[in-house]
Amino acid sequence: MSDFGPLKLHVPEPVGRPGDEPDFSYIDIPKAGGVRMPAVDADAKDIRDLAYTMIRVMDDEGEPVGEWAKYVNDEMALKGLRDMLKVRAFDARMFMSQRQGKTSFYIQCTGEEAIACAHQMALEKGDMNFPTYRQQGLLISQDFPMVDMMCQIFSNEKDMLKGRQLPVLYTSKEYGFFSISGNLGTQYIQAVGWAMASAIKGDTKIASAWIGDGSTAESDFHASLVFASVYKAPVILNVVNNQWAISSFQGIAGGQQSTFASRGHGFGIPSLRVDGNDYFAVYAASKWAAERARRNLGPTLIEWVTYRAGGHSTSDDPSKYRPKGEEEAWPLGDPIERLKAHLIKKGLWSDERHEQMIAEIEQEVLDAAKEAESHGTLHSGPKPSTRDMFEGVFKEMPRHLREQRQKLGV
């Protein structure tokens, strides 16, 4: 007879399901400005605590406080507000377009706008992002042509990728935006490899890798950390913890056992945990990590704590798996409203100017959508040529592809 009872498998459960009240008591939110900013060359073992707390710059009144606030300036704040409003308006228009049948699906980043927009501002021309499908702010904050993004979403004749990628899987070498991978996790390995190549060549450009909380459970994530740490690759390893991976909550990926930032500790990688809805905190942490990479100090892992306010995609209904109103109860608030409050307090903004800017941006997005739609949408208008699927794949087209193209008559 065994001295022990039967074994039991532990299956993590979220704190709330449909019908329950929203509960974010599991998130410990420290006082803004209370987390120290270490020297950029700090050793990973000396800043272990920064993976368990949360770097915050804006207090409840919108005032930037603490050591990390040294990066704050008015010009950056005004640009950040416009960038985030533009991303949100773009999302809203594309969501509507999907509902109208103009594209097959769309993925919004509502509530997460500060992460991509502020991070991009901390990078330099030539740096390369390896994003997931919720970092459209990396492009929009650089004023990448929205018409080009929309044409890719609509898969029309002006689609820059000629129908080779699913909607929202953009790419642009000029804007430092590596082709989005539909296979989650692979972009992390690609980012580390690209960063290693940059170092081997003696270049000055760094990489920035992106992944969601759910995909950190992929083996690609852990393999990437091995190479990044061993070779001190000049890369920023971003983990966007928006609490939900499609319909599974972050605990399924290990978020109940420890923070995602702490995963860097096993590899000796300096790790930060940051309020992802605080534009200033995102910018400050990104600048710190980018400087480390440029000074050959190796990778930095950053967990951005945020919340996916909308569905996973236009195919998802979050009311089926999480409490009603959970997005309004999110304790870190709305990144746009927080930055707006800061600017109003400083006398640099007003509710009237805010409404005027929203109207201007919405018109800009609408004009771009009309132009993109003039080149066709999913079910109407011209499409990329069938011939395009054979081009740009091999330097010299192999015989079997030539034969297939001839059979199609293209």
Side-chain angles (χ1 to χ4, degrees):
M1 294 291 292
S2 173
D3 294 331
F4 306 96
L7 297 173
K8 296 181 180 179
L9 182 68
H10 171 70
V11 179
E13 288 288 337
V15 295
R17 286 294 192 187
D20 296 333
E21 290 295 319
D23 180 7
F24 290 108
S25 59
Y26 63 91
I27 297 180
D28 182 24
I29 303 175
K31 181 180 179 182
V35 177
R36 65 193 174 93
M37 184 177 71
V40 74
D41 60 352
D43 193 280
K45 67 178 182 296
D46 297 325
I47 60 171
R48 289 178 60 86
D49 57 306
L50 299 188
Y52 298 100
T53 182
M54 193 187 300
I55 297 168
R56 304 179 68 231
V57 173
M58 275 192 281
D59 64 17
D60 294 340
E61 286 71 46
E63 186 72 24
V65 293
E67 297 176 74
W68 294 90
K70 75 171 190 175
Y71 293 103
V72 174
N73 65 74
D74 295 342
E75 182 181 359
M76 176 256 286
L78 287 165
K79 174 174 168 43
L81 183 63
R82 179 176 180 81
D83 289 343
M84 290 194 290
L85 285 171
K86 195 171 180 179
V87 171
R88 189 164 291 184
F90 181 89
D91 272 358
R93 176 56 54 179
M94 291 300 94
F95 183 91
M96 182 186 299
S97 295
Q98 191 278 335
R99 291 298 191 249
Q100 293 171 339
K102 296 173 182 177
T103 185
S104 55
F105 75 96
Y106 185 74
I107 297 177
Q108 297 176 291
C109 66
T110 308
E112 304 176 33
E113 294 89 351
I115 298 171
C117 291
H119 185 84
Q120 181 59 50
M121 187 173 284
L123 299 180
E124 295 181 1
K125 184 72 173 177
D127 293 338
M128 185 63 71
N129 281 291
F130 289 75
T132 69
Y133 36 65
R134 225 179 292 276
Q135 279 84 54
Q136 49 267 56
L138 296 172
L139 288 173
I140 292 175
S141 63
Q142 295 183 78
D143 293 324
F144 185 87
M146 288 189 293
V147 172
D148 289 350
M149 296 175 72
M150 292 173 176
C151 285
Q152 196 278 327
I153 293 168
F154 295 147
S155 303
N156 61 28
E157 65 173 349
K158 293 294 184 179
D159 175 6
M160 55 189 173
L161 301 181
K162 301 184 182 300
R164 294 191 181 98
Q165 276 280 33
L166 295 170
V168 311
L169 302 189
Y170 327 100
T171 183
S172 173
K173 182 177 180 180
E174 180 185 357
Y175 285 80
F177 197 91
F178 200 84
S179 180
I180 297 177
S181 174
N183 299 315
L184 300 180
T186 59
Q187 71 277 4
Y188 241 57
I189 291 177
Q190 294 163 351
V192 174
W194 190 96
M196 290 170 62
S198 183
I200 291 169
K201 291 187 298 183
D203 205 338
T204 60
K205 306 302 185 291
I206 67 173
S208 188
W210 296 84
I211 202 166
D213 51 281
S215 299
T216 61
E218 298 279 353
S219 58
D220 293 351
F221 172 78
H222 301 277
S224 303
L225 267 60
V226 171
F227 278 82
S229 61
V230 170
Y231 297 104
K232 293 190 179 297
V235 60
I236 303 172
L237 302 163
N238 302 283
V239 177
V240 181
N241 178 10
N242 63 14
Q243 315 305 309
W244 289 95
I246 306 185
S247 58
S248 63
F249 82 115
Q250 48 98 22
I252 296 296
Q256 284 185 337
Q257 278 66 40
S258 188
T259 66
F260 291 101
S262 69
R263 294 190 178 181
H265 290 167
F267 301 89
I269 297 176
S271 303
L272 309 176
R273 192 163 181 262
V274 183
D275 178 351
N277 287 23
D278 181 337
Y279 188 90
F280 296 145
V282 175
Y283 178 74
S286 299
K287 287 285 287 185
W288 189 87
E291 184 178 346
R292 280 188 56 85
R294 295 189 203 285
R295 291 178 57 180
N296 285 311
L297 295 169
T300 303
L301 190 151
I302 308 177
E303 176 187 350
W304 306 109
V305 183
T306 185
Y307 185 82
R308 194 194 77 209
H312 174 75
S313 72
T314 48
S315 301
D316 178 46
D317 179 5
S319 70
K320 301 294 185 182
Y321 54 82
R322 67 189 193 192
K324 181 179 180 181
E326 195 174 68
E327 63 275 13
E328 283 88 11
W330 175 242
L332 296 178
D334 183 322
I336 292 177
E337 292 301 315
R338 289 175 67 181
L339 190 54
K340 171 190 171 185
H342 162 77
L343 289 167
I344 289 177
K345 184 174 182 180
K346 287 206 70 174
L348 298 170
W349 206 241
S350 67
D351 288 320
E352 293 73 23
R353 291 181 67 183
H354 194 77
E355 292 305 314
Q356 181 181 0
M357 178 177 281
I358 288 176
E360 292 172 357
I361 289 174
E362 288 181 344
Q363 186 60 53
E364 181 184 356
V365 172
L366 177 59
D367 292 343
K370 289 180 178 179
E371 181 179 344
E373 289 174 22
S374 71
H375 300 294
T377 62
L378 179 64
H379 296 299
S380 66
K383 302 287 191 299
S385 169
T386 305
R387 183 185 181 89
D388 291 334
M389 77 169 71
F390 296 95
E391 304 294 338
V393 181
F394 295 95
K395 183 178 181 180
E396 295 182 7
M397 189 178 298
R399 179 177 57 83
H400 73 282
L401 288 187
R402 290 199 304 271
E403 293 174 351
Q404 289 177 23
R405 187 178 67 182
Q406 290 167 0
K407 287 180 179 179
L408 287 173
V410 295

